[in-house]
Amino acid sequence: MLQLEDQDIHQCTQGWVPVFTDSSQTLAVMSIGFLLNNRDDAVVWRGPKKNAMIKQFIEDVSWGERDYLIIDTPPGTSDEHITVVENLRHRENVDGAVLVTTPQAVSVGDVRRELAFCRKTGVRVLGIIENMSGFVCPHCKECTNVFSSGGGEALAIETGVPFLGCIPLDPALGQSLETGTKYTEAFPQSSTTDSIFNIINKLTSVNIS
């Protein structure tokens, strides 16, 4: 997505140097993928080794001055999620979590458990996003609810957390992610771009002090 494949990790006196997406160095990335010899290699690690790597990513990467540190985790409430929360708390406060669901009941059920996890661990939920919320036809631009709709918003209302918005199932967005194209610049007039920026504006206006 970020066109960073085959990038190498370097060391400095403060630890690992993250990979920057461009010369402006406004966005830095760290991924286990940078440490693999082959893109098709599987990471077959037991819990202790995975948890040690998570700790190293949090503590030993020289992020420098930053506005946000965003950690993308897989769905679920696994040991890795506990490790992320515990190691972040040793260094600084956790501002909150953004939960992403698709409209289907199965996905909403998973996010409901993630919400319970956040509450048990004392992590504030900044909001819920409903992804793949309807299919946007590339020809007529009409949106069809392929997977139903409203599951994420209904969960947000039921549990009393903010609903940040919906992102439709847009073929152009999927293609942009595959090719590393900046979707919002390529399609500035699309409803999907509007949805993305509306979500960003809601998140950046949240009081996290």
Side-chain angles (χ1 to χ4, degrees), residues 10 29 51 82 90 94 101 104 110 132 143 153 157 170-171 200 203-204:
H10 301 283
V29 179
N51 293 340
I82 298 173
H90 289 160
V94 180
T101 185
Q104 306 99 307
D110 286 340
M132 296 194 289
C143 183
E153 185 172 13
I157 294 171
D170 187 335
I200 292 172
L203 277 175
T204 53

Side-chain angles (χ1 to χ4, degrees), residues 53-190:
M53 180 57 70
I54 292 171
K55 182 178 180 181
Q56 196 166 4
F57 275 6
I58 294 174
E59 296 184 354
D60 295 343
V61 175
S62 178
W63 294 108
E65 293 187 16
R66 63 185 185 276
D67 297 313
Y68 304 99
L69 175 63
I70 300 173
I71 300 177
D72 182 21
T73 66
T77 54
S78 66
D79 189 41
E80 289 90 340
H81 296 79
I82 298 173
T83 301
V84 168
V85 173
E86 289 180 344
N87 281 279
L88 282 175
R89 282 185 173 151
H90 289 160
R91 296 175 58 85
E92 54 193 302
N93 293 326
V94 180
D95 294 320
V98 176
L99 306 182
V100 181
T101 185
T102 53
Q104 306 99 307
V106 172
S107 178
V108 172
D110 286 340
V111 171
R112 187 188 303 276
R113 288 184 284 275
E114 291 166 7
L115 180 57
F117 170 89
C118 290
R119 287 177 169 168
K120 286 183 179 180
T121 55
V123 175
R124 177 185 177 188
V125 177
L126 302 178
I128 294 175
I129 297 172
E130 184 174 295
N131 193 22
M132 296 194 289
S133 182
F135 168 73
V136 176
C137 175
H139 303 292
C140 68
K141 306 304 179 184
E142 182 178 348
C143 183
T144 302
N145 293 320
V146 179
F147 301 121
S148 76
S149 66
E153 185 172 13
L155 178 62
I157 294 171
E158 176 189 341
T159 56
V161 302
F163 181 66
L164 299 174
C166 298
I167 297 178
L169 188 63
D170 187 335
L173 176 59
Q175 183 65 26
S176 295
L177 293 173
E178 291 288 338
T179 59
T181 305
K182 294 182 179 179
Y183 174 86
T184 55
E185 294 181 4
F187 302 94
Q189 305 301 322
S190 75

Side-chain angles (χ1 to χ4, degrees), residues 3-21:
Q3 298 292 288
L4 297 179
E5 193 170 349
D6 298 326
Q7 296 292 320
D8 294 322
I9 300 298
H10 301 283
Q11 293 270 0
C12 68
T13 55
Q14 291 79 31
W16 283 346
V17 180
V19 176
F20 293 96
T21 57

